[in-house]
Amino acid sequence: MMSIYKHSLGHIHGSLFLLFFLHLLLISITNAKPQTVAKQKSSLNHSVSAVFVFGDSTSDPGNNNYIGTPFKSNFPPYGKDFTNQVPTGRFSNGLLANDFIARYVGVKEYVPPYLDPTLTIEDLMTGVSFASAGSGFDPLTPAISNVISLTKQLEYFKEYESRIRAEIGEKRTKELIRNALFLVSAGTNDFVVNYFTFPIRRKSYSIPGYTEFLLKQIQQFMQGLWDEGARKIGVASLPPMGCLPIVITLYSDNAIQHRDCIGYFSLVAESYNAMLQNELKAMQFSKASFGARIGYLDIYGPLIEMIIGRRFGFEELNSGCCGTGLLEATFMCNPKSSVCPDASKYVFWDSIHPTERTYSICSKSFQPTIDFITKD
């Protein structure tokens, strides 16, 4: 496998300048509260008190609206299919997977951003997202994009606990946390934005070594959640990174005519996912007697089924709905961008992020794991 990595890195490094230029472009450039939407009923009686979310743009419902970063999406056409077409800061045309999961376990209709100053104590008590678009497990990743690190997200969670404790007391707060569902989704930016774009980590780590480094960061983060009382935790895999439209655009031999997935990047994701799955199984085994329910949320498999297996009837598999679909994301997908008439026919909303329909399908595939994590 190392020979495959070395052979592929030559081509990848030759394309780094383009990705580096794009990233510099991205970092050179009013959040409204969404209306209620219909609840999705769960097949089980989940005893979940709240949903707490950590990670990157796959789970950020608008925290980046409140910080000084260009990585925002609180403007059209983002939110095109959200209730009242509100661009909340979610990097999609509508809901994210964690919104569908919150409905499935019967807690709330959508998961709001923790940094939203208009949230009531009732909003807070049933869960919030601390995620920040552009973040990652590697501390260098959020520093590149000036977004909220996983360490800071954990600090915000501790602040959250203090706020809730002041309202309902120590005993009820501990019970709320113990019965809450914790969701973690990050890692793609560590590879696509950080490792493959900037030379800092490549000088110190091979890809297997960097994967090990990330797993240690995940261990530390998970231990931090555990120390705060988290017991029901789901951690998302990496997607098939070689199938992201922006990766195809940057690394294909002919980005217009040859838009197949770039196998090398997906191989990296497969290797990472296997190691992550083993790590989570080990955590579950070691902590099971203490009430742990730790699960692996596979997003790689469903996306491969959609894109390679051509399941679920999507018509556009390798470009986004916004603009050309080849490079547009964040401010490059803006009110002046053309938009496809029906995003539900697209796997991707922009050049990086899935559509609401894709998130819905993925969230349904998570349900057996969510059942395991949350069952009494």
Side-chain angles (χ1 to χ4, degrees):
M1 182 172 289
M2 281 302 298
S3 62
I4 296 175
Y5 285 139
K6 290 178 181 178
H7 177 74
S8 301
L9 278 175
H11 172 68
I12 287 174
H13 291 171
S15 303
L16 285 176
F17 176 77
L18 180 57
L19 187 55
F20 174 69
F21 174 79
L22 177 65
H23 187 73
L24 288 181
L25 179 63
L26 285 171
I27 61 179
S28 68
I29 340 247
T30 10
N31 187 38
K33 208 169 178 182
Q35 304 297 312
T36 57
V37 286
K39 262 193 179 182
Q40 173 183 330
K41 295 298 182 181
S42 166
S43 61
L44 293 181
N45 294 319
H46 300 91
S47 57
V48 177
S49 57
V51 175
F52 298 109
V53 186
F54 303 82
D56 58 21
S57 57
T58 57
S59 50
D60 179 2
N63 282 309
N64 278 17
N65 300 349
Y66 305 98
I67 64 174
T69 178
F71 284 81
K72 302 177 190 287
S73 59
N74 56 338
F75 44 80
Y78 289 99
K80 173 181 176 289
D81 298 307
F82 204 87
T83 303
N84 294 337
Q85 297 185 317
V86 176
T88 61
R90 288 167 171 81
F91 283 77
S92 187
N93 60 305
L95 297 175
L96 304 178
N98 45 269
D99 297 310
F100 288 110
I101 293 171
R103 295 177 180 188
Y104 178 67
V105 298
V107 170
K108 61 199 313 173
E109 297 169 345
Y110 67 91
V111 183
Y114 175 66
L115 295 184
D116 182 349
T118 70
L119 297 182
T120 66
I121 189 64
E122 288 77 18
D123 293 328
L124 291 169
M125 284 184 62
T126 50
V128 290
S129 174
F130 302 90
S132 176
S135 198
F137 293 114
D138 182 346
L140 178 59
T141 302
I144 291 170
S145 305
N146 194 35
V147 297
I148 307 168
S149 67
L150 269 293
T151 300
K152 183 63 177 178
Q153 291 178 34
L154 186 56
E155 289 179 12
Y156 277 138
F157 178 67
K158 294 176 183 178
E159 176 186 274
Y160 164 91
E161 287 182 286
S162 296
R163 293 173 64 182
I164 296 300
R165 193 178 297 114
E167 293 287 339
I168 66 175
E170 180 74 22
K171 182 178 179 181
R172 287 183 62 195
T173 299
K174 286 185 175 180
E175 183 179 356
L176 184 153
I177 301 304
R178 184 175 63 252
N179 292 319
L181 171 61
F182 289 75
L183 301 172
V184 183
S185 177
T188 302
N189 294 321
D190 292 315
F191 285 101
V192 175
V193 173
N194 185 348
Y195 187 88
F196 290 122
T197 305
F198 294 93
I200 297 173
R201 293 307 191 203
R202 292 200 311 275
K203 288 181 178 179
S204 302
Y205 299 99
S206 64
I207 290 176
Y210 187 62
T211 299
E212 291 281 2
F213 169 76
L214 291 180
L215 289 175
K216 289 180 180 178
Q217 302 302 312
I218 294 171
Q219 288 174 349
Q220 293 175 11
F221 181 75
M222 294 283 283
Q223 187 61 49
L225 290 179
W226 183 268
D227 291 343
E228 295 306 310
R231 294 296 180 267
K232 303 175 180 182
I233 309 172
V235 182
S237 72
L238 287 183
M241 295 187 294
C243 297
L244 299 179
I246 194 169
V247 171
I248 297 173
T249 299
L250 294 174
Y251 297 112
S252 174
D253 293 333
N254 186 326
I256 303 301
Q257 296 182 350
H258 301 159
R259 295 202 58 80
D260 294 331
C261 297
I262 309 298
Y264 170 75
F265 288 93
S266 295
L267 177 64
V268 171
E270 280 188 36
S271 177
Y272 170 95
N273 288 341
M275 295 175 70
L276 173 64
Q277 194 167 15
N278 288 337
E279 182 61 37
L280 295 177
K281 286 179 180 178
M283 290 182 188
Q284 170 61 32
F285 181 78
S286 66
K287 296 181 182 295
S289 61
F290 301 99
R293 291 294 178 88
I294 298 171
Y296 171 80
L297 302 175
D298 177 24
I299 194 171
Y300 186 102
L303 283 173
I304 285 293
E305 288 184 353
M306 295 176 208
I307 299 168
I308 305 298
R310 296 181 177 271
R311 290 192 58 199
F312 305 106
F314 287 99
E315 295 180 6
E316 183 54 59
L317 309 175
N318 47 36
S319 64
C321 171
C322 183
T324 65
L326 307 182
L327 284 171
E328 292 87 347
T330 190
F331 76 88
M332 294 178 69
C333 174
N334 57 59
K336 294 183 179 180
S337 302
S338 61
V339 180
C340 69
D342 186 357
S344 70
K345 296 179 180 179
Y346 283 63
V347 174
F348 294 97
W349 165 249
D350 60 19
S351 66
I352 303 171
H353 306 100
T355 57
E356 177 182 86
R357 181 169 177 239
T358 300
Y359 277 128
S360 176
I361 293 170
C362 290
S363 71
K364 289 176 182 176
S365 75
F366 297 159
Q367 287 177 2
T369 303
I370 297 297
D371 291 344
F372 162 75
I373 295 170
T374 60
K375 70 181 181 181
D376 295 331

